[in-house]
Structures are given as C-alpha cells and as structure tokens.
Amino acid sequence: RPLYQAVNKVIECRGGKGSREEKAHVFPGDARAAMITTEALPTHPEDARREAQQFFTPSWLAKEVVKWSMMTSKTRSVLEPSAGAGALVKAALEVVTAERIVCVEDDAKLVPGLKSLGVTALHADFLETKLDTVFDVCIMNPPFKNQQGLKHTLHAFQSVGPGGGLVSILPATAIVPGRTKGSQSFKALL
C-alpha cells in the first residue's frame, strides 16, 4: 500500500486521476508528456524538499500564470528562473516554442527533466546568475524562505526588457508595508 500511495502521488502531481471505471489512472492529454520528467523528480523526503524550498507549481496555477503574463505566440523570449520540475515551462510550451524558453534551476537532479522538454536549462543559483539576454516575459515560483522570493523577483526584473511582463508567485507577506527592506523595494517597484 505505501508504494501504491507514493506512485499515485507522483501520477496525481502530473495531472493523472484514478478511474475505477477504467481501472487505471487517466490523463487529460498524452500521459507520456505528463510523466516525462518523473525520473528527474527529487526523491527527498518531505522535510528535505521543504528545506530545499521545492514547492512545485500545480498545473492549473501554471496555466494561469502564463495567462497573466500576457504571453502570446509572438513572444520572443521567456525566462523561468526557478524552474523546479517544469510546471511553468510546460504551460509556456502551450504558447511558445521551446527554443524561446530559458530556465534556471539550482537542483542538478531536476535539470535533465527540464532539458528533455527542449528548452535551454541552466544549472545555477539564479541569484548568482547574470544573463546576457533581455526577456519579453518572466514567469516564476521562487523559493519563499528568508525573503528569497523577493530577492529572486527583484533580480529577475533586471532581465525583463521595456514593455515586458513578469509574473511571480509570492506569499502575501512579500508586500506587507514596511516589513523588510526587501518588501519596501518590491512595493516601490509595483
């Protein structure tokens, strides 16, 4: 039973749902595409994932982020600076082609799964990364611990060109007035 529950959790994270009628897990689309990065998922226990700030974006939210970013088929370049298992990248691939997407991921175990999507995937700490490209759109779900979300978002903003868009999933505490120097800088940016 524990093995089934573990496998079921991975399948559900990829959008599959158990069907008693089908006597199998079913996916809204091609199951192979949904499961492509499964072997690259971390095998950390929950505590280690939490410590690593790996809270992967659900696919429904990833699609909303892409919508909010105003990304279109004419968007020339997309940055995902904290790519994780690639939920935002997969949602972006529904709008733009893979060669237009650059993502950065600090966890080496996740980079092969991102590369398998056909995008440019860099293994690096985004806060230590200086990108030469100016991007039309940046979509991100950065780590939250110790104001990292704000730091990542402010750093990403430097990579977005004039008229570009940035959508970052952040906790509500990110914009609490006067809470931290970072939140003051972020609120000024808004």
Side-chain angles (χ1 to χ4, degrees):
R1 184 80 179 150
L3 178 59
Y4 170 80
Q5 289 172 326
V7 170
N8 186 55
K9 188 173 184 179
V10 170
I11 291 171
E12 286 181 347
C13 285
R14 296 287 185 226
K17 294 199 186 308
S19 167
R20 289 181 186 211
E21 183 180 311
E22 301 275 337
K23 294 184 181 174
H25 285 84
V26 294
F27 291 82
D30 183 356
R32 291 172 296 185
M35 299 300 288
I36 198 161
T37 61
T38 299
E39 67 183 75
L41 283 174
T43 55
H44 306 298
E46 285 299 314
D47 290 343
R49 280 192 44 208
R50 193 172 293 114
E51 183 62 32
Q53 292 292 289
Q54 292 179 332
F55 299 100
F56 300 128
T57 311
S59 60
W60 67 267
L61 181 55
K63 289 176 184 180
E64 289 299 314
V65 167
V66 168
K67 250 194 275 186
W68 296 331
S69 76
M70 309 286 262
M71 190 183 306
T72 70
S73 60
K74 294 180 182 174
T75 299
R76 294 180 312 267
S77 57
V78 177
L79 171 64
E80 210 298 34
S82 44
L88 291 169
V89 172
K90 289 175 189 172
L93 285 168
E94 293 179 16
V95 180
V96 299
T97 56
E99 64 270 3
R100 297 181 190 185
I101 301 174
V102 174
C103 54
V104 180
E105 176 50 47
D106 197 25
D107 188 337
K109 293 178 200 146
L110 298 174
V111 174
L114 295 166
K115 287 183 178 183
S116 74
L117 298 172
V119 300
T120 300
L122 309 173
H123 173 232
D125 176 347
F126 178 63
L127 293 176
E128 303 295 321
T129 304
K130 174 83 170 104
L131 298 169
D132 295 330
T133 306
V134 175
F135 294 89
D136 294 336
V137 172
C138 175
I139 51 176
M140 60 194 298
N141 182 4
F144 295 171
K145 189 176 182 180
N146 299 326
Q147 298 289 309
Q148 286 186 67
L150 289 175
K151 292 173 188 170
H152 277 247
T153 303
L154 290 167
H155 187 63
F157 189 75
Q158 297 171 13
S159 296
V160 177
L166 184 147
V167 178
S168 181
I169 300 169
L170 292 170
T173 56
I175 56 169
V176 173
R179 182 175 157 116
T180 66
K181 188 176 179 181
S183 64
Q184 292 169 356
S185 299
F186 184 69
K187 196 158 187 188
L189 184 69
L190 295 177

